[in-house]
Amino acid sequence: MASLLTSTLALTYFFIMYSSFLRRTNGVFSEELSEAITLKRMEKTTRLHFFFHDIHSGKSPTAIKIAGTSDSSLFGDTYMMDNALTESQNGSSKSVGKAQGMYAFAAKNEPALLMVVNYEFTRGEFNGSSISVLGRNPVMDDVREMPIVGGSGRFRYANGYALAHTVWFDLKTGDAIVEYNVYVKHY
Ligand SMILES: *[C@@H]1O[C@H](CO)[C@@H](O)[C@H](O)[C@H]1NC(C)=O
Ligand SMILES: *[C@@H]1O[C@H](CO)[C@@H](O)[C@H](O)[C@H]1NC(C)=O
């Protein structure tokens, strides 16, 4: 009698657990959600083109050294920037945003930078949106490719790549103008 009761209870328990397990595995909550998102949001690719002004000279430099050694080696030198982004190479041309972040000389034997930078845009439909770049920038190369690791606003869920090409460099001051072609995928 007792064993019948025990086995009935065990069987009931098993069915309750089994049905809740079924409900859980059959629950398509996350699948439905991702399907709905896929249907509603179309992935786009946007190309951005702008010029980056890395200014160390003058009364109001936009890039300043914040760390590094005093010896002649560049290795370890770290800069903080709030660099202007403009529509054309002329620094007085229309502003499209700012590059805010850091770069550091991360290679012992060549001028290769670690870039950790947010590009914030202030024009048109991308006003207030930003992309985040984390990458390697060997500055002597003609074209450097850096990954876009994320974004905000219109660039939420962003990924893609940035191609940087130096168009002007002043060896004395370190001032530089860099042309950017950015390909960013987002929703
Ligand atoms: C840059 O633009 C300003 C204002 O539009 C102009 O006065 C200046 O000559 C331009 N500079 C160059 C190098 O084209
Ligand atoms: C960008 O957005 C800011 C804040 O919303 C606004 O003040 C500014 O006028 C906008 N700029 C452009 C060019 O739309």
Side-chain angles (χ1 to χ4, degrees):
M1 195 65 193
S3 78
L4 181 65
L5 185 67
T6 313
S7 59
T8 307
L9 280 176
L11 217 58
T12 310
Y13 179 73
F14 172 76
F15 275 120
I16 290 169
M17 290 313 287
Y18 184 64
S19 58
S20 73
F21 172 73
L22 272 185
R23 230 177 302 145
R24 232 176 285 142
T25 51
N26 283 346
V28 283
F29 177 62
S30 60
E31 288 165 31
E32 279 176 2
L33 188 64
S34 61
E35 273 169 23
I37 284 172
T38 313
L39 288 175
K40 275 194 208 139
R41 294 180 169 170
M42 291 291 289
E43 193 179 73
K44 295 180 268 228
T45 301
T46 298
R47 175 185 174 244
L48 302 167
H49 178 244
F50 53 82
F51 291 81
F52 164 104
H53 301 264
D54 193 40
I55 306 302
H56 299 258
S57 65
K59 280 205 186 82
S60 181
T62 59
I64 58 168
K65 189 172 169 181
I66 57 166
T69 56
S70 51
D71 63 28
S72 63
S73 158
L74 292 171
F75 182 55
D77 287 0
T78 304
Y79 291 80
M80 180 71 76
M81 77 181 106
D82 185 3
N83 283 347
L85 305 176
T86 60
E87 210 168 61
S88 73
Q89 187 171 335
N90 188 331
S92 325
S93 66
K94 237 183 219 164
S95 161
V96 300
K98 290 288 189 71
Q100 296 169 336
M102 290 189 282
Y103 56 83
F105 286 86
K108 279 179 83 81
N109 300 318
E110 58 172 326
L113 304 176
L114 160 70
M115 306 281 286
V116 185
V117 189
N118 295 313
Y119 295 77
E120 198 225 356
F121 302 103
T122 50
R123 287 217 75 77
E125 61 173 315
F126 299 115
N127 187 11
S129 299
S130 67
I131 56 171
S132 300
V133 166
L134 173 66
R136 181 172 187 273
N137 184 3
V139 291
M140 299 311 282
D141 287 9
D142 184 34
V143 178
R144 291 89 68 186
E145 178 182 331
M146 291 170 275
I148 296 164
V149 296
S152 74
R154 289 292 309 280
F155 293 127
R156 191 180 284 179
Y157 292 119
N159 63 71
Y161 60 98
L163 300 176
H165 164 68
T166 302
V167 292
W168 179 80
F169 178 63
D170 184 340
L171 202 62
K172 246 195 317 212
T173 59
D175 292 356
I177 301 174
V178 181
E179 182 179 12
Y180 272 78
N181 274 294
V182 176
Y183 297 85
V184 51
K185 279 207 250 178
H186 59 104
Y187 291 107

